[in-house]
Amino acid sequence: RYVYLNNLQSTYPDFSIVNAGCDTYGSVTITTLADDYSFDGGITWTTNPTISNLSGPNSYSIKVRKGTCESRTSTAYFNSSFLPIPVVNDYEAFICDELNNGAEQTNLTDYDSHLVATTVGFTFRYFTSELGADTNSFSEQINNPSAYVVDVMHREAFVRITSPDGCHNVSRIALNLIPTPWFNIDADFPLCVGKTVTIDAGTGYDAYLWSTGEATQSIVIDEPGDYTVTVFEDHMTVNGIVTCSTTRTFNIFLSDKAVWKKIDTYDWTRYDNALTAYVDGIGDYEYSLDNVHFQDSPTFISLHSGDYTVYVRDKFGCGTIIQDVFLLMYDKYFTPNEDNFHDRWKIEFSEEEPGLTIDIFDREGKLLKVLQNHESWDGKYNGRDILADDYWFVVHRRDGRQHRGHFTLKR
């Protein structure tokens, strides 16, 4: 039984309000004890003191009844409304691993539009755990979401998405790394003057793009300079095709065959002569005396006297130039006795060097004979045999060099 200290008819019933909010309806509960309760000013009655599932704004006229006695009317103003939590989606992200090293930086904010139907008015905060996102944990918040590193330990992120009404929900982003295409291309390619070079990026890719604008596997280039090529590889994912690409830069440089400047010879020995080839040109050159064995040095040493062919080859296949050269030598003696052995004296291979002349002197310095490059000496002076003795000579070469020596005439 209820004992009222005051007359019920003069009493205003008490009540409490539980407000509606995010994903929650409100309620009004009459806290004055009675047999019956009314929320519409006594039009209808119920034994339940609580009315639930409320969303305002609205007002309620509250009365209580005991037997036939009714209270006065209190007004409950219910101003809060039910607020829906955001409808969110989880998302599976696929990220190209540019270095194929199992770690790649990504911008988590790029995925916002995949998480809700519209991002207008919504705020997004990023966390390392679902609980951290739900509780808005400062210690688990990702402070730099635009440069988040995805690696073996960090393959997911959780997003706290808050609506304009202040209600939040949590979405999960799965972060998957997929490999980028790997291909090798030389950093430098030679281009012979007046020629073309074909550069091939290799087979097995879904698309190609060169800095020239061409989209084929290989291109033909006729100008030096820096170029790039990008290859593309398609990966089928739950989101459709994701295309990863890799770009390489390479240089095309000019090369050409050499141009002769001169060949310097260091001769007049039987077995220890040398020569050095001098050339001009934009290429990288190597040198040979047999067109088989090449060397980087233009100098050849320890050569026997004789005739040689010098080959200068561009290392990039842009051509070879050749020139004959003769390492001169002479006999130390001769025997002009008409036995067909050593009957005449000459400079070996002098006939191959136009412009060369030889002056022959006796020990007194008297000029006995001047030989042209194709001539030899029979040991006579003015048609007469001269004495067996030592004789001296001076060789005059076309380039101005001279060589002096002596030999013996034996009878």
Side-chain angles (χ1 to χ4, degrees):
R1 300 180 64 84
Y2 307 116
V3 178
Y4 294 95
L5 298 179
N6 299 309
N7 189 347
L8 182 62
Q9 289 90 335
S10 62
T11 300
Y12 291 91
D14 295 324
F15 60 89
S16 64
I17 295 176
V18 174
N19 288 320
C22 295
D23 200 32
T24 302
Y25 289 95
S27 64
V28 175
T29 298
I30 302 172
T31 57
T32 299
L33 296 176
D35 294 333
D36 301 301
Y37 306 90
S38 177
F39 295 91
D40 55 7
I43 298 174
T44 60
W45 295 89
T46 178
T47 58
N48 186 352
T50 300
I51 184 172
S52 304
N53 296 323
L54 304 182
S55 179
N58 210 339
S59 62
Y60 299 91
S61 299
I62 295 173
K63 295 184 73 172
V64 297
R65 182 173 66 185
K66 176 65 177 174
T68 59
C69 296
E70 297 182 8
S71 69
R72 293 180 179 271
T73 301
S74 297
T75 302
Y77 295 97
F78 191 88
N79 295 316
S80 59
S81 299
F82 174 88
L83 300 173
I85 62 172
V87 177
V88 301
N89 306 305
D90 290 339
Y91 186 69
E92 195 96 3
F94 295 88
I95 303 155
C96 297
D97 186 358
E98 292 186 3
L99 298 179
N100 290 326
N101 62 351
E104 189 63 41
Q105 183 173 288
T106 191
N107 186 349
L108 295 177
T109 66
D110 288 344
Y111 309 119
D112 292 352
S113 61
H114 299 284
L115 307 181
V116 289
T118 176
T119 60
V120 176
F122 286 80
T123 59
F124 300 81
R125 299 180 74 183
Y126 308 86
F127 297 83
T128 57
S129 76
E130 184 175 13
L131 180 61
D134 193 41
T135 60
N136 204 20
S137 171
F138 177 79
S139 63
E140 296 184 72
Q141 184 174 349
I142 298 170
N143 295 315
N144 189 15
S146 63
Y148 187 66
V149 177
V150 181
D151 56 28
V152 67
M153 299 297 295
H154 303 90
R155 288 297 177 91
E156 61 182 2
F158 297 88
V159 187
R160 181 185 176 94
I161 303 171
T162 304
S163 69
D165 295 323
C167 299
H168 79 274
N169 204 347
V170 175
S171 180
R172 175 181 178 269
I173 304 174
L175 302 167
N176 303 283
L177 292 181
I178 54 179
T180 54
W182 186 93
F183 75 108
N184 186 41
I185 193 168
D186 291 341
D188 300 283
F189 292 91
L191 172 63
C192 298
V193 172
K195 304 292 185 179
T196 61
V197 61
T198 299
I199 308 300
D200 194 325
T203 61
Y205 305 106
D206 294 298
Y208 303 82
L209 181 61
W210 302 80
S211 52
T212 60
E214 294 165 278
T216 52
Q217 176 183 321
S218 63
I219 63 171
V220 177
I221 297 175
D222 60 4
E223 291 289 339
D226 291 327
Y227 295 81
T228 62
V229 57
T230 302
V231 300
F232 300 87
E233 203 168 62
D234 295 336
H235 299 265
M236 181 59 68
T237 72
V238 295
N239 300 327
I241 293 177
V242 174
T243 301
C244 293
S245 65
T246 299
T247 299
R248 296 279 188 264
T249 299
F250 59 93
N251 175 259
I252 301 294
F253 64 91
L254 280 177
S255 194
D256 199 6
K257 65 181 180 180
V259 177
W260 284 112
K261 291 180 65 179
K262 63 176 181 176
I263 298 178
D264 281 348
T265 57
Y266 310 92
D267 39 11
W268 305 111
T269 70
R270 183 63 66 184
Y271 305 113
D272 193 24
N273 303 295
L275 64 84
T276 300
Y278 294 92
V279 297
D280 274 336
I282 60 175
D284 187 8
Y285 303 114
E286 54 189 359
Y287 305 82
S288 174
L289 295 180
D290 60 7
N291 204 27
V292 175
H293 304 93
F294 283 82
Q295 64 184 43
D296 290 334
S297 172
T299 298
F300 297 87
I301 61 174
S302 302
L303 302 177
H304 291 196
S305 60
D307 58 327
Y308 292 88
T309 299
V310 181
Y311 300 84
V312 182
R313 182 173 69 181
D314 176 62
K315 291 182 178 180
F316 305 111
C318 295
T320 302
I321 59 173
I322 63 174
Q323 184 169 313
D324 293 330
V325 64
F326 302 91
L327 299 179
L328 304 184
M329 188 51 188
Y330 60 94
D331 288 329
K332 301 301 183 182
Y333 70 93
F334 78 116
T335 56
N337 54 14
E338 299 182 0
D339 63 355
N340 293 324
F341 292 100
H342 301 291
D343 282 337
R344 304 182 73 86
W345 182 91
K346 68 185 293 291
I347 300 296
E348 295 179 13
F349 307 107
S350 60
E351 65 274 12
E352 305 295 344
E353 189 171 319
L356 179 144
T357 60
I358 307 105
D359 298 336
I360 300 175
F361 304 88
D362 65 15
R363 65 175 55 250
E364 304 299 329
K366 180 179 178 180
L367 178 63
L368 302 178
K369 185 68 174 178
V370 176
L371 300 177
Q372 300 302 313
N373 69 310
H374 59 280
E375 294 179 322
S376 60
W377 186 41
D378 59 3
K380 297 179 183 295
Y381 177 66
N382 288 334
R384 300 180 132 193
D385 292 338
I386 62 174
L387 298 175
D389 202 349
D390 287 343
Y391 294 87
W392 279 255
F393 68 90
V394 178
V395 175
H396 302 274
R397 307 186 87 153
R398 186 167 56 182
D399 59 9
R401 290 182 295 158
Q402 294 183 348
H403 179 74
R404 300 173 185 272
H406 72 277
F407 61 91
T408 299
L409 185 158
K410 297 180 179 181
R411 293 199 183 273

